Amino acid sequence: MIAQPVVQALPAAPEVMEDAFETIGSGVASYYGVKFAGRRTASGAIFDPEELTAAHPSLPFGTQVQVTNPSNGESVVVTITDRGPYHGNRIIDLSKAAAREIGIMRRGSGTVELAVLAQES
């Protein structure tokens, strides 16, 4: 008798629920230029403008942040890998890919709302 292989479905990827985010404020976001591509970030990661990452002055590295453009309702979830921004009154620097996702790339900056992924207790 030949044994039949056991086939199991892979578990579904976890979905991030909208209420899993805790609002932390709003302000102006900008994005990194491609001149930083390939450089090390403050966390030690290599910056890739096509990844969904960001720089924030104080959030821990690895924190996932939902960035929403209130003018068009578009949101993106980024991972904090760097420190900054160091320009004016900006609250976050996004990768080029993240800025494109929420529609601020053309202008170079825009007002956004930030929410962090809530940690389960």
Side-chain angles (χ1 to χ4, degrees):
M1 181 160 154
I2 299 175
Q4 295 293 323
V6 177
V7 178
Q8 289 182 308
L10 294 174
E15 290 187 29
V16 177
M17 305 295 282
E18 193 68 31
D19 61 352
F21 287 92
E22 183 178 320
T23 301
I24 61 168
S26 62
V28 177
S30 53
Y31 74 95
Y32 287 78
V34 293
K35 69 180 182 179
F36 295 104
R39 293 187 187 177
R40 284 206 184 277
T41 63
S43 69
I46 301 298
F47 177 65
D48 179 348
E50 294 305 318
E51 290 186 6
L52 298 177
T53 60
H56 188 274
S58 60
L59 289 173
F61 297 132
T63 300
Q64 293 205 300
V65 179
Q66 181 181 49
V67 183
T68 303
N69 180 345
S71 70
N72 64 13
E74 296 293 329
S75 291
V76 65
V77 176
V78 297
T79 302
I80 302 300
T81 60
D82 206 359
R83 292 291 172 232
Y86 300 109
H87 187 276
N89 61 347
R90 297 178 185 163
I91 61 167
I92 195 165
D93 259 340
L94 303 172
S95 65
K96 183 178 177 182
R100 184 183 317 114
E101 288 277 327
I102 63 168
I104 67 165
M105 200 172 92
R106 189 172 188 183
R107 290 184 45 197
S109 65
T111 300
V112 296
E113 297 168 350
L114 302 183
V116 295
L117 182 61
Q119 300 297 314
E120 294 183 22
S121 324

